[in-house]
Amino acid sequence: MGSKLHVCIGSLGRVFVPMPRPFDFARTVGRFGAVGEDRANRLADGRLTRVLAGRAVTMEAASGGVLVEPGRPELVRPVRRLLGAHADLGWLDHVPGGADPVLADLAGRLRGLRPALVPDPFEMLVTSITAQQVSQAAALAMRNRFVEAFGQRHGAVYAFPDPAAVARVDESTLAATGLSRQKARYVRAIATSRRDFADLTTLDDDDVVAALTELPGIGRWSAEWYLARHLGRPDIWPAGDLALRRALERFCSAGSRLDEPQAHRLGDCFRPHRTLACLYLLAAARMPTEETPAPR
DNA sequence: ACCCAGGCATTGG
DNA sequence: CCAATGCATGGG
């Protein structure tokens, strides 16, 4: 295990962290800047800064991996996980072009895009709750206020708030960030929950959904994103996700409306790699509309 | 001034 | 068991 991890401490207090191929740093971290400025995940000048293991960490592209500052060896594992080193992208090279021409095309155009993870269970759950029902811009605005109000500042970024810090403030103080009273109640209930999230890693996907949906404010959609974006499970297909449905409508059904059962069936041809298929479809939907061949 | 946006829980049939 | 409803904000 980890025998291929060559860690080289540089002279400038940085460490080179190797990533499996293929790997495209800019594409992998692109979603942090896609909607707007994220106060917990700062994307500037091609570098990503966020708090990991209690300190601000800056990552930038390097050949075959990333350069990380500060150059602490204990950051290697969390950085690799954050950037999706766990995922096997081999399938994307062998998507049958006849069966899935759309995904085969996207795999080529987005080569090296990896499934970046949300490193902390509480951060993942709160992020999902803020994103429920509202636009991503609205969710980001509320999340930024939440992070600035209750998270610790580390230079240019804020640490995502701890459950303990959130547990200390009351519901209306939480709601002042723009959350509905209902959502403020959910967030606080999760912050004070004594559930051990570490033990979820031993459960299979269905059992994780069952366990998480016991929490107030966590439904199937939020549980599925937890599996995909926190636990890094490979075959998650959130057919209820409006953005995924929109992407499927655009790329796979010639623009005609899809309901959830139809979206679910469209995922079947991507088994057992539906998480990657979903990631690539969502990323493609964010790309600037491809230029059609010039008329004439 | 609308209407929709990467849901969820509650209520009423 | 399914349909209807309230929620809060940002952008078109």
Side-chain angles (χ1 to χ4, degrees), chain A residues 154-212:
Chain A
H154 291 252
V157 294
Y158 286 81
F160 198 85
D162 296 324
V166 174
R168 281 193 292 271
V169 301
D170 64 21
E171 218 175 275
S172 27
T173 307
L174 288 178
T177 61
L179 296 173
S180 62
R181 287 198 322 281
Q182 196 178 30
K183 286 184 177 180
R185 189 159 53 247
Y186 299 154
V187 167
R188 197 167 185 291
I190 290 170
T192 57
S193 155
R194 288 203 323 285
R195 168 173 287 287
D196 176 19
F197 291 99
D199 66 7
L200 294 177
T201 61
T202 65
L203 303 180
D204 68 27
D205 293 349
D206 289 339
D207 288 342
V208 172
V209 171
L212 288 178

Side-chain angles (χ1 to χ4, degrees), chain A residues 20-204:
Chain A
R21 297 179 187 283
F23 173 63
D24 186 305
F25 179 79
R27 285 173 181 156
T28 298
V29 303
R31 81 179 165 84
F32 292 116
V35 180
E37 184 187 352
D38 180 336
R39 303 295 278 123
N41 295 278
R42 177 181 160 81
L43 197 51
D45 305 321
R47 308 183 330 163
L48 174 69
T49 303
R50 65 156 289 143
V51 174
L52 272 183
R55 65 168 65 231
V57 178
T58 297
M59 292 149 268
E60 66 179 280
S63 175
V66 288
L67 279 172
V68 176
E69 183 185 3
R72 294 188 160 267
E74 68 268 24
L75 293 175
V76 171
R77 198 171 303 275
V79 164
R80 284 170 55 83
R81 184 160 180 78
L82 176 73
L83 298 177
H86 64 282
D88 178 8
L89 270 47
W91 168 70
L92 291 167
D93 290 329
H94 306 106
V95 176
D100 297 312
V102 171
L103 197 64
D105 176 55
L106 297 182
R109 302 166 56 152
L110 294 170
R111 186 172 174 77
L113 168 62
R114 284 185 169 272
L117 298 184
V118 177
D120 175 72
F122 182 65
E123 178 178 357
M124 181 70 248
L125 292 172
V126 173
T127 297
S128 289
I129 288 171
T130 62
Q132 287 166 9
Q133 158 63 22
V134 299
S135 67
Q136 297 194 51
L140 180 64
M142 292 186 277
R143 209 159 54 242
N144 281 339
R145 288 193 291 264
F146 175 83
V147 161
E148 291 176 358
F150 310 116
Q152 191 181 349
R153 182 170 187 169
H154 291 252
V157 294
Y158 286 81
F160 198 85
D162 296 324
V166 174
R168 281 193 292 271
V169 301
D170 64 21
E171 218 175 275
S172 27
T173 307
L174 288 178
T177 61
L179 296 173
S180 62
R181 287 198 322 281
Q182 196 178 30
K183 286 184 177 180
R185 189 159 53 247
Y186 299 154
V187 167
R188 197 167 185 291
I190 290 170
T192 57
S193 155
R194 288 203 323 285
R195 168 173 287 287
D196 176 19
F197 291 99
D199 66 7
L200 294 177
T201 61
T202 65
L203 303 180
D204 68 27

Side-chain angles (χ1 to χ4, degrees), chain A residues 247-276:
Chain A
L248 288 169
E249 288 161 4
R250 172 171 158 190
F251 295 116
C252 302
S253 80
S256 67
R257 297 291 288 185
L258 296 172
D259 60 20
E260 180 167 341
Q262 291 172 314
H264 185 82
R265 280 194 295 277
L266 278 176
D268 286 340
C269 61
F270 303 127
R271 292 175 186 269
H273 307 282
R274 286 178 295 175
T275 305
L276 277 181

